[in-house]
Coordinates of all heavy atoms in Angstrom, one line a residue:
G82 N -27.2 164.6 100.4 CA -26.9 164.0 99.2 C -25.5 163.4 99.2 O -24.8 163.4 100.2
D83 N -25.0 163.0 98.0 CA -23.7 162.4 97.9 C -22.6 163.5 97.5 O -21.9 163.4 96.6 CB -23.7 161.4 96.7 CG -24.6 160.2 97.1 OD1 -24.7 159.9 98.3 OD2 -25.2 159.6 96.2
F84 N -22.6 164.6 98.3 CA -21.8 165.7 98.0 C -20.9 166.1 99.2 O -21.3 165.8 100.4 CB -22.6 166.9 97.6 CG -23.8 166.7 96.8 CD1 -25.0 167.0 97.3 CD2 -23.7 166.0 95.6 CE1 -26.2 166.7 96.6 CE2 -24.8 165.7 94.9 CZ -26.1 166.1 95.4
I85 N -19.8 166.7 99.0 CA -19.0 167.3 100.0 C -19.1 168.8 99.8 O -18.9 169.3 98.6 CB -17.6 166.8 100.0 CG1 -17.5 165.3 100.3 CG2 -16.7 167.6 101.0 CD1 -16.1 164.8 100.1
W86 N -19.3 169.6 100.8 CA -19.3 171.1 100.7 C -18.2 171.6 101.5 O -18.0 171.3 102.7 CB -20.7 171.6 101.2 CG -21.8 171.2 100.4 CD1 -22.7 170.1 100.6 CD2 -22.2 171.7 99.1 NE1 -23.6 170.0 99.6 CE2 -23.3 170.9 98.7 CE3 -21.7 172.7 98.3 CZ2 -24.0 171.2 97.5 CZ3 -22.4 172.9 97.1 CH2 -23.5 172.2 96.7
T87 N -17.4 172.5 100.9 CA -16.3 173.1 101.6 C -16.3 174.6 101.5 O -16.8 175.2 100.5 CB -14.9 172.6 101.1 OG1 -14.8 173.0 99.7 CG2 -14.8 171.1 101.2
P88 N -15.8 175.3 102.5 CA -15.8 176.8 102.4 C -14.7 177.3 101.4 O -13.8 176.5 101.1 CB -15.5 177.2 103.8 CG -14.7 176.1 104.4 CD -15.2 174.9 103.7
E89 N -14.8 178.5 101.0 CA -13.8 179.2 100.2 C -13.5 180.5 100.9 O -14.0 180.8 101.9 CB -14.3 179.4 98.8 CG -14.2 178.2 97.9 CD -12.8 177.8 97.6 OE1 -11.9 178.6 97.5 OE2 -12.5 176.6 97.4
F90 N -12.6 181.3 100.3 CA -12.1 182.5 100.9 C -13.2 183.5 101.2 O -13.3 184.0 102.3 CB -11.1 183.2 100.0 CG -10.6 184.5 100.6 CD1 -9.5 184.5 101.5 CD2 -11.1 185.7 100.2 CE1 -9.0 185.7 102.1 CE2 -10.6 186.9 100.7 CZ -9.6 186.9 101.7
G91 N -14.1 183.7 100.3 CA -15.2 184.6 100.5 C -16.4 183.9 101.2 O -16.7 182.8 100.9
D92 N -17.0 184.7 102.1 CA -18.1 184.1 102.9 C -19.4 184.0 102.0 O -20.5 183.7 102.5 CB -18.4 184.9 104.1 CG -19.1 184.1 105.2 OD1 -18.9 182.8 105.2 OD2 -19.9 184.6 105.9
Y93 N -19.3 184.3 100.7 CA -20.4 184.1 99.8 C -20.1 182.9 98.9 O -20.9 182.7 97.9 CB -20.6 185.4 99.0 CG -19.4 185.8 98.2 CD1 -19.2 185.4 96.9 CD2 -18.4 186.6 98.8 CE1 -18.0 185.7 96.2 CE2 -17.3 187.0 98.1 CZ -17.1 186.5 96.8 OH -15.9 186.9 96.1
M94 N -19.0 182.2 99.1 CA -18.6 181.2 98.2 C -18.7 179.8 98.9 O -18.3 179.7 100.0 CB -17.1 181.4 97.8 CG -16.9 182.7 97.1 SD -15.2 183.3 97.3 CE -14.4 182.3 96.0
L95 N -19.2 178.8 98.1 CA -19.2 177.4 98.6 C -18.7 176.5 97.5 O -19.0 176.8 96.3 CB -20.6 177.0 98.9 CG -21.2 177.7 100.2 CD1 -22.7 177.8 100.1 CD2 -20.8 176.8 101.4
E96 N -17.9 175.6 97.8 CA -17.4 174.6 96.8 C -18.1 173.3 97.0 O -18.1 172.7 98.1 CB -15.9 174.5 97.0 CG -15.3 173.7 95.9 CD -13.7 173.7 96.0 OE1 -13.2 172.9 96.8 OE2 -13.1 174.5 95.4
G97 N -18.6 172.7 95.9 CA -19.3 171.4 96.0 C -18.5 170.4 95.2 O -18.0 170.7 94.1
L98 N -18.3 169.2 95.7 CA -17.7 168.2 95.0 C -18.3 166.8 95.3 O -18.9 166.7 96.3 CB -16.2 168.2 95.2 CG -15.7 168.1 96.7 CD1 -14.3 167.5 96.7 CD2 -15.6 169.5 97.2
P99 N -18.1 165.8 94.5 CA -18.7 164.5 94.8 C -18.0 163.8 96.0 O -16.8 164.0 96.2 CB -18.4 163.7 93.5 CG -17.3 164.4 92.7 CD -17.3 165.8 93.2
F100 N -18.8 163.1 96.7 CA -18.3 162.4 97.9 C -17.4 161.2 97.5 O -16.4 161.0 98.2 CB -19.5 161.8 98.7 CG -19.1 161.3 100.0 CD1 -18.8 162.1 101.1 CD2 -19.1 159.9 100.3 CE1 -18.4 161.6 102.3 CE2 -18.7 159.4 101.5 CZ -18.4 160.3 102.5
E101 N -17.7 160.6 96.4 CA -16.9 159.5 95.9 C -16.5 159.9 94.4 O -17.3 160.5 93.7 CB -17.6 158.2 95.8 CG -18.0 157.6 97.2 CD -16.8 157.0 97.9 OE1 -15.8 156.6 97.2 OE2 -16.9 156.9 99.1
P102 N -15.3 159.5 94.0 CA -14.9 159.8 92.6 C -15.7 159.0 91.6 O -16.2 157.9 91.9 CB -13.4 159.5 92.6 CG -13.2 158.5 93.7 CD -14.2 158.8 94.7
F103 N -15.8 159.5 90.4 CA -16.4 158.8 89.3 C -15.4 157.8 88.7 O -14.2 158.1 88.7 CB -16.9 159.8 88.2 CG -17.9 160.8 88.7 CD1 -17.6 162.1 88.7 CD2 -19.2 160.4 89.1 CE1 -18.5 163.1 89.1 CE2 -20.1 161.3 89.5 CZ -19.8 162.7 89.5
S104 N -15.9 156.8 88.1 CA -15.1 155.9 87.4 C -15.2 156.2 85.9 O -16.0 157.1 85.5 CB -15.5 154.4 87.6 OG -16.7 154.1 87.0
S105 N -14.6 155.4 85.0 CA -14.7 155.6 83.6 C -15.8 154.8 83.0 O -15.9 154.7 81.7 CB -13.3 155.2 82.9 OG -13.0 153.9 83.2
E106 N -16.6 154.1 83.8 CA -17.7 153.4 83.2 C -18.7 154.3 82.6 O -19.0 155.4 83.0 CB -18.4 152.6 84.4 CG -17.6 151.5 85.0 CD -18.3 150.8 86.1 OE1 -19.5 151.0 86.3 OE2 -17.6 150.1 86.9
L107 N -19.3 153.8 81.5 CA -20.2 154.6 80.7 C -21.4 155.1 81.5 O -21.9 156.2 81.4 CB -20.7 153.8 79.5 CG -21.6 154.6 78.5 CD1 -20.9 155.8 77.9 CD2 -22.1 153.7 77.4
S108 N -21.9 154.2 82.4 CA -23.1 154.6 83.2 C -22.8 155.8 84.1 O -23.6 156.7 84.3 CB -23.5 153.4 84.1 OG -22.4 153.0 85.0
Q109 N -21.5 155.9 84.6 CA -21.2 157.1 85.4 C -21.0 158.3 84.6 O -21.4 159.4 85.0 CB -19.9 156.8 86.2 CG -20.1 155.7 87.2 CD -19.5 156.0 88.6 OE1 -18.4 156.5 88.7 NE2 -20.3 155.8 89.6
L110 N -20.4 158.2 83.4 CA -20.3 159.3 82.5 C -21.6 159.9 82.1 O -21.8 161.1 82.1 CB -19.5 158.9 81.3 CG -18.0 158.5 81.5 CD1 -17.4 158.0 80.2 CD2 -17.2 159.8 81.9
L111 N -22.6 159.0 81.9 CA -23.9 159.4 81.4 C -24.7 160.0 82.6 O -25.7 160.8 82.4 CB -24.7 158.2 80.9 CG -24.2 157.7 79.5 CD1 -24.9 156.4 79.1 CD2 -24.2 158.7 78.4
G112 N -24.3 159.8 83.8 CA -25.0 160.3 85.0 C -24.5 161.6 85.5 O -25.1 162.1 86.5
V113 N -23.4 162.1 85.0 CA -22.8 163.3 85.5 C -23.7 164.5 85.5 O -23.8 165.3 86.5 CB -21.5 163.6 84.8 CG1 -20.9 165.0 85.2 CG2 -20.4 162.6 85.1
E114 N -24.4 164.7 84.4 CA -25.3 165.9 84.3 C -26.4 165.9 85.4 O -26.6 166.9 86.0 CB -25.9 166.0 82.9 CG -26.7 167.3 82.7 CD -27.2 167.4 81.3 OE1 -26.9 166.5 80.4 OE2 -27.9 168.4 81.0
E115 N -27.0 164.7 85.6 CA -28.0 164.6 86.6 C -27.4 164.9 88.0 O -28.0 165.5 88.9 CB -28.7 163.3 86.6 CG -29.7 163.2 85.5 CD -30.8 164.2 85.5 OE1 -31.3 164.5 86.6 OE2 -31.1 164.8 84.4
F116 N -26.2 164.4 88.2 CA -25.5 164.6 89.5 C -25.3 166.1 89.7 O -25.5 166.6 90.8 CB -24.2 163.8 89.5 CG -23.4 163.8 90.8 CD1 -23.8 163.0 91.8 CD2 -22.4 164.7 91.0 CE1 -23.1 163.0 93.0 CE2 -21.7 164.8 92.2 CZ -22.1 163.9 93.2
L117 N -24.8 166.8 88.7 CA -24.6 168.2 88.8 C -25.9 169.0 89.1 O -25.9 169.9 89.9 CB -23.9 168.8 87.6 CG -22.5 168.2 87.3 CD1 -22.0 168.7 85.9 CD2 -21.5 168.6 88.4
K118 N -26.9 168.6 88.4 CA -28.2 169.2 88.7 C -28.7 169.0 90.1 O -29.2 169.9 90.8 CB -29.3 168.6 87.7 CG -29.2 169.1 86.3 CD -30.3 168.5 85.5 CE -30.2 168.9 84.0 NZ -31.2 168.2 83.2
S119 N -28.5 167.7 90.6 CA -28.9 167.4 92.0 C -28.1 168.2 93.0 O -28.7 168.7 94.0 CB -28.7 165.9 92.2 OG -28.9 165.5 93.5
R120 N -26.8 168.4 92.8 CA -26.0 169.1 93.7 C -26.5 170.6 93.7 O -26.6 171.2 94.8 CB -24.5 169.1 93.3 CG -23.6 169.6 94.3 CD -22.2 169.7 93.9 NE -21.7 168.6 93.2 CZ -20.6 168.6 92.4 NH1 -19.9 169.7 92.3 NH2 -20.2 167.6 91.7
R121 N -26.7 171.2 92.6 CA -27.2 172.6 92.5 C -28.5 172.7 93.2 O -28.8 173.7 93.9 CB -27.2 173.1 91.1 CG -27.7 174.5 91.0 CD -27.8 175.0 89.6 NE -26.5 175.2 89.0 CZ -25.8 176.4 89.2 NH1 -26.3 177.3 89.9 NH2 -24.6 176.5 88.6
Q122 N -29.4 171.7 93.0 CA -30.7 171.8 93.6 C -30.6 171.7 95.1 O -31.3 172.4 95.8 CB -31.6 170.6 93.1 CG -33.0 170.6 93.6 CD -33.8 171.8 93.2 OE1 -33.6 172.3 92.1 NE2 -34.7 172.2 94.1
S123 N -29.8 170.9 95.6 CA -29.6 170.8 97.1 C -29.1 172.1 97.6 O -29.6 172.5 98.7 CB -28.5 169.7 97.3 OG -28.3 169.5 98.7
L124 N -28.2 172.7 97.0 CA -27.7 174.0 97.4 C -28.8 175.1 97.3 O -28.9 175.9 98.2 CB -26.4 174.5 96.7 CG -25.8 175.8 97.0 CD1 -25.4 175.8 98.5 CD2 -24.6 176.1 96.2
S125 N -29.5 175.1 96.2 CA -30.6 176.1 96.0 C -31.6 176.0 97.2 O -32.1 177.0 97.7 CB -31.3 175.8 94.7 OG -30.5 176.1 93.6
E126 N -32.0 174.8 97.5 CA -32.9 174.6 98.6 C -32.4 175.1 99.9 O -33.1 175.7 100.7 CB -33.3 173.1 98.7 CG -34.2 172.6 97.5 CD -34.3 171.1 97.5 OE1 -33.8 170.4 98.4 OE2 -34.9 170.6 96.5
A127 N -31.1 174.8 100.2 CA -30.5 175.3 101.5 C -30.5 176.8 101.5 O -30.8 177.4 102.5 CB -29.1 174.7 101.6
L128 N -30.1 177.4 100.4 CA -30.0 178.9 100.4 C -31.4 179.5 100.5 O -31.6 180.5 101.2 CB -29.3 179.3 99.1 CG -27.8 179.1 99.0 CD1 -27.3 179.3 97.5 CD2 -27.1 180.0 99.9
S129 N -32.4 178.9 99.8 CA -33.7 179.4 99.8 C -34.3 179.3 101.2 O -35.1 180.2 101.6 CB -34.6 178.6 98.9 OG -35.9 179.2 98.8
A130 N -33.9 178.3 102.0 CA -34.4 178.2 103.4 C -33.8 179.4 104.3 O -34.5 179.8 105.2 CB -33.9 176.9 104.0
V131 N -32.6 179.9 103.9 CA -32.1 181.1 104.6 C -32.8 182.3 104.1 O -33.2 183.2 104.9 CB -30.6 181.2 104.3 CG1 -30.0 182.5 104.9 CG2 -29.8 180.0 104.9
N132 N -33.0 182.5 102.8 CA -33.7 183.6 102.2 C -34.1 183.2 100.8 O -33.3 182.8 100.0 CB -32.8 184.8 102.2 CG -33.5 186.1 101.7 OD1 -34.3 186.1 100.8 ND2 -33.2 187.2 102.4
P133 N -35.4 183.3 100.5 CA -35.9 182.9 99.2 C -35.3 183.7 98.0 O -35.4 183.3 96.9 CB -37.4 183.0 99.2 CG -37.7 183.8 100.4 CD -36.5 183.7 101.4
N134 N -34.7 184.8 98.3 CA -34.1 185.7 97.3 C -32.6 185.4 97.1 O -31.9 186.1 96.3 CB -34.3 187.1 97.6 CG -35.7 187.5 97.6 OD1 -36.5 187.1 96.7 ND2 -36.1 188.4 98.5
I135 N -32.1 184.3 97.7 CA -30.6 184.0 97.5 C -30.6 182.8 96.6 O -31.2 181.8 96.9 CB -29.9 183.7 98.8 CG1 -30.0 184.9 99.7 CG2 -28.5 183.3 98.6 CD1 -29.4 184.7 101.1
V136 N -29.8 182.9 95.6 CA -29.6 181.7 94.6 C -28.1 181.5 94.4 O -27.3 182.4 94.5 CB -30.3 182.0 93.3 CG1 -31.8 182.2 93.4 CG2 -29.7 183.2 92.6
P137 N -27.8 180.2 94.0 CA -26.4 179.9 93.7 C -26.1 180.2 92.2 O -26.9 179.7 91.3 CB -26.3 178.4 94.0 CG -27.6 177.9 93.8 CD -28.6 179.0 94.1
L138 N -25.0 180.9 91.9 CA -24.6 181.0 90.5 C -23.2 180.5 90.4 O -22.4 180.5 91.3 CB -24.5 182.5 90.2 CG -25.9 183.3 90.2 CD1 -25.6 184.7 89.8 CD2 -26.9 182.6 89.3
S139 N -22.9 179.9 89.3 CA -21.5 179.4 89.0 C -20.9 180.4 88.0 O -20.9 180.3 86.8 CB -21.6 178.0 88.3 OG -22.2 177.1 89.1
I140 N -20.3 181.4 88.6 CA -19.6 182.5 87.9 C -18.2 182.7 88.4 O -17.9 182.4 89.6 CB -20.4 183.8 88.0 CG1 -20.6 184.3 89.4 CG2 -21.7 183.8 87.2 CD1 -21.3 185.6 89.6
S141 N -17.3 183.1 87.5 CA -15.9 183.2 88.0 C -15.7 184.3 89.0 O -14.8 184.1 89.9 CB -15.0 183.4 86.7 OG -15.4 184.5 86.0
T142 N -16.4 185.4 88.8 CA -16.3 186.5 89.8 C -17.6 187.3 89.8 O -18.2 187.4 88.7 CB -15.0 187.3 89.6 OG1 -14.9 188.2 90.7 CG2 -15.1 188.1 88.3
F143 N -17.9 187.9 90.9 CA -19.1 188.7 91.0 C -18.8 190.1 90.4 O -17.8 190.7 90.8 CB -19.5 188.8 92.4 CG -20.8 189.6 92.6 CD1 -22.0 189.1 92.2 CD2 -20.8 190.9 93.2 CE1 -23.2 189.8 92.3 CE2 -22.0 191.6 93.4 CZ -23.2 191.0 92.9
P144 N -19.5 190.5 89.4 CA -19.2 191.8 88.7 C -19.0 193.0 89.5 O -18.2 193.9 89.2 CB -20.3 192.0 87.7 CG -21.0 190.6 87.6 CD -20.7 189.9 88.9
R145 N -19.8 193.1 90.6 CA -19.7 194.3 91.5 C -18.8 194.2 92.7 O -18.8 195.0 93.6 CB -21.1 194.6 92.0 CG -22.1 195.0 90.9 CD -23.3 195.7 91.4 NE -23.0 196.9 92.1 CZ -23.2 197.2 93.4 NH1 -23.6 196.2 94.2 NH2 -22.8 198.3 93.9
L146 N -17.9 193.2 92.7 CA -17.0 193.0 93.8 C -16.2 194.2 94.0 O -15.5 194.7 93.1 CB -16.1 191.8 93.5 CG -15.5 191.1 94.6 CD1 -16.5 190.4 95.5 CD2 -14.5 190.0 94.1
G147 N -16.2 194.8 95.2 CA -15.4 196.0 95.5 C -16.1 197.3 95.3 O -15.6 198.3 95.6
C148 N -17.3 197.2 94.7 CA -18.1 198.4 94.5 C -18.8 198.8 95.8 O -18.8 198.1 96.8 CB -19.2 198.2 93.4 SG -18.5 198.0 91.8
D149 N -19.5 200.0 95.8 CA -20.2 200.4 97.0 C -21.4 199.4 97.3 O -22.1 199.1 96.4 CB -20.7 201.8 96.8 CG -21.4 202.4 98.0 OD1 -20.8 202.2 99.1 OD2 -22.5 203.0 97.8
R150 N -21.5 199.0 98.6 CA -22.6 198.1 99.0 C -22.8 196.9 98.1 O -23.9 196.8 97.6 CB -23.8 199.0 99.2 CG -23.8 199.9 100.4 CD -25.1 200.4 100.8 NE -25.9 199.2 101.3 CZ -27.2 199.3 101.6 NH1 -27.8 200.4 101.5 NH2 -27.8 198.2 102.0
F151 N -21.8 196.1 98.0 CA -22.0 194.9 97.1 C -22.3 193.7 97.9 O -22.5 192.6 97.3 CB -20.8 194.7 96.2 CG -19.5 194.2 97.0 CD1 -19.2 192.9 97.1 CD2 -18.7 195.1 97.6 CE1 -18.1 192.4 97.7 CE2 -17.6 194.7 98.3 CZ -17.3 193.4 98.4
T152 N -22.4 193.8 99.3 CA -22.7 192.6 100.1 C -24.0 192.7 100.7 O -24.5 193.8 101.0 CB -21.6 192.4 101.2 OG1 -21.7 193.5 102.1 CG2 -20.2 192.3 100.6
E153 N -24.6 191.6 101.0 CA -25.8 191.5 101.8 C -25.6 190.5 102.9 O -25.4 189.3 102.7 CB -27.0 191.0 100.9 CG -28.3 190.9 101.6 CD -28.8 192.3 102.0 OE1 -28.6 193.3 101.4 OE2 -29.5 192.3 103.1
P154 N -25.7 190.9 104.2 CA -25.9 192.3 104.6 C -24.8 193.2 104.3 O -23.6 192.8 104.1 CB -26.1 192.2 106.1 CG -25.3 191.0 106.5 CD -25.4 190.0 105.3

Side-chain angles (χ1 to χ4, degrees):
D83 296 330
F84 325 118
I85 297 172
W86 297 98
T87 61
E89 281 291 332
F90 180 82
D92 202 32
Y93 58 90
M94 303 156 77
L95 288 153
E96 186 175 85
L98 52 154
F100 190 74
E101 294 284 339
F103 299 115
S104 73
S105 57
E106 293 176 13
L107 184 59
S108 60
Q109 294 229 313
L110 293 171
L111 294 173
V113 169
E114 187 175 357
E115 283 305 314
F116 184 82
L117 294 175
K118 285 180 186 176
S119 174
R120 191 187 318 162
R121 179 180 288 277
Q122 182 63 34
S123 179
L124 180 56
S125 293
E126 290 168 3
L128 287 169
S129 186
V131 173
N132 185 318
N134 293 324
I135 300 176
V136 298
L138 298 181
S139 300
I140 54 178
S141 57
T142 188
F143 184 69
R145 294 196 63 246
L146 204 64
C148 295
D149 186 42
R150 290 201 58 190
F151 70 95
T152 65
E153 181 63 36

